[in-house]
Amino acid sequence: VQGLGEYFGVISVACAAVTAGTLLQFQDRPPTPPSSSELEKFLNGEEEPPFFESVQKLFATPGFTRPLAAFICSISITNIVGAFIDEVMERGGVTDQFSIDLAGAGFEIAILLGGIIIGGYVDRTKQYKSVTLACLLSTIFLVIPLGLTDHYIGNEPFLLVLSLLGLGMAAGPVQPINAELAVDVSYPSDETAVESVQQIGGNLVSALLVPVAEKLARQDYEIFSSLKLLDSDVRGDVVLLVGIAMMTYVYFSGFDAPLRRTIADCGDDGTCEAPQLNRGSLPVGEQLFVEEKGPNGKKVVDAITMEQEKKLKNMIK
């Protein structure tokens, strides 16, 4: 393919430069814990267990498997659509290669924007469940036009591209949202183990589904054949993706687990936009102390141990 060598050359140089920059700037840990939950782990002297032990603990944690399923569903759908973007566009009437490339780029940008906008909203409000369900439901409806051909209307490239961009906005954010949710419900488990399990699971399932989707893409299923205006056929790979999204929606709707890290992080400083999670309005750090009533009135009693105080002083130095 003309220009492919130059493309990979540029990618390789950029990757090497970013890797070198990362290694030069990489630190073992920040000077101070970035959140009150990390401060709590530091004060308690918690150490991360071996990886496989962490994985076993994660799957035993209530609520962990549902965000894992949502993450796998999202990455599987976006990977499969991205892998077969040429076939999707050509079937919908977009045959020019440059237009197909633009549509693929738009799909990736939509995933990015969805993660920033929708993910940012969830980061502030902690509405993990309702937003994830809304995204999964939107994904179900937006993935259908990618493999649906209405015999009466024919191809509609404009609607096809709109559906593709909408799918990116809806399915893409499910990944970062549920990566955070998995970390939240499994706190204080190893965050690296959480991300690793999700990435391994998502990419493994995607790899297994690609040949299945490729085979099903050759199959067409006619629907509403008795109604002239609605008579259509839908590709088998789209039926597969819709089925995955529907099963994930049903399974995830049963999510009901406490947000442990959110409670530790924003429950002591009053900054969380979900007031039901707040335990008070004291600034960060003041929860290290408690007030007790003594014989002569109120007095402030240090609520941290001598060992924790020593760790704090060493960390501040």
Side-chain angles (χ1 to χ4, degrees), residues 176-238:
I177 290 172
N178 283 275
E180 284 296 307
L181 177 57
V183 170
D184 211 324
V185 299
S186 61
Y187 173 84
S189 296
D190 182 8
E191 296 181 13
T192 303
V194 173
E195 298 290 347
S196 298
V197 168
Q198 291 192 321
Q199 288 293 339
I200 293 172
N203 287 298
L204 176 61
V205 172
S206 295
L208 295 174
L209 286 176
V210 165
V212 177
E214 184 178 13
K215 184 175 182 179
L216 290 176
R218 305 189 189 102
Q219 304 293 326
D220 286 329
Y221 300 96
E222 189 172 4
I223 56 176
F224 304 119
S225 57
S226 59
L227 301 174
K228 184 178 180 181
L229 292 177
L230 298 179
D231 185 17
S232 310
D233 61 73
V234 61
R235 273 187 2 188
D237 56 341
V238 167

Side-chain angles (χ1 to χ4, degrees), residues 4 8 17 26 34 39 53 64 81 85 94 118 124 129 137 140 142 145 162-163 200 203 208 253 256 266 283 287:
L4 190 61
F8 282 116
F26 193 82
L39 177 61
E53 183 179 332
F64 175 77
V81 171
I85 191 71
V94 181
I118 301 177
R124 294 192 305 271
K129 182 176 181 179
L137 186 62
I140 293 171
L142 289 169
L162 282 183
S163 296
I200 293 172
N203 287 298
L208 295 174
S253 62
D256 184 19
C266 71
Q287 286 288 331

Side-chain angles (χ1 to χ4, degrees), residues 21-39:
T22 302
L23 289 174
L24 291 173
Q25 301 177 70
F26 193 82
Q27 297 181 4
D28 182 39
R29 64 182 182 188
T32 57
S35 63
S36 54
S37 58
E38 288 300 313
L39 177 61

Side-chain angles (χ1 to χ4, degrees), residues 77 81 88-89 107 110 118 134-148 158-173 234 238 241-242 245-246:
I77 290 175
V81 171
V88 170
M89 291 293 103
F107 179 60
I118 301 177
C135 286
L136 290 174
L137 186 62
S138 300
T139 296
I140 293 171
F141 288 102
L142 289 169
V143 77
I144 293 175
L146 301 187
L148 181 70
F158 180 72
L159 294 178
L160 176 66
V161 173
L162 282 183
S163 296
L164 181 68
L165 298 180
L167 178 63
M169 287 284 293
V234 61
V238 167
L241 298 184
V242 169
M246 291 179 66

